[in-house]
Amino acid sequence: MFFLPIYALYLEQNLFTMTNVALIISIEAISAAVFEIPTGAIADIFGRKKTLISAYMFSLISIIFLYVGGSMLMFVFYAILNSVGRSLASGALTAHSSMTP
């Protein structure tokens, strides 16, 4: 993640402490690990295209939460939605690539 130092500085500016920044990054990492498990099955059930569209919608909504910011709760929503979006995209790409010979 090339932009992680800039991202951390942005979060510190809006959340006022590095403890809060670490909390947001931790929430993002933990939720990514949790949501990564079922996303391949979701892509198999609903289809790769629908899963990718959903992933990008979650990512777009998360960026809106990041832009609005202002409170810890908004950044928590950003972290969770961003993790869901990345996990859905990863699951869809993994499910598709495992089906090709």
Side-chain angles (χ1 to χ4, degrees):
M1 292 183 51
F2 177 71
F3 66 93
L4 192 58
I6 298 166
Y7 173 66
L9 289 174
Y10 172 75
L11 288 177
E12 183 183 18
Q13 179 184 3
N14 288 302
L15 295 173
F16 305 113
T17 65
M18 285 305 283
T19 305
N20 289 345
V21 172
L23 185 63
I24 293 297
I25 293 173
S26 298
I27 289 171
E28 193 170 0
I30 291 169
S31 59
V34 168
F35 292 126
E36 191 69 35
I37 296 167
T39 56
I42 290 171
D44 287 337
I45 292 169
F46 295 109
R48 180 176 180 259
K49 184 177 180 180
K50 289 179 183 177
T51 305
L52 283 174
I53 290 171
S54 299
Y56 295 129
M57 292 303 292
F58 275 109
S59 295
L60 179 65
I61 294 168
S62 74
I63 295 296
I64 292 170
F65 277 108
L66 181 65
Y67 178 73
V68 171
S71 71
M72 184 72 169
L73 186 62
M74 292 292 215
F75 288 108
V76 168
F77 285 145
Y78 158 75
I80 293 171
L81 290 174
N82 189 37
S83 296
V84 170
R86 286 188 304 159
S87 295
L88 281 172
S90 171
L93 295 175
T94 303
H96 176 67
S97 65
S98 66
M99 295 181 69
T100 56

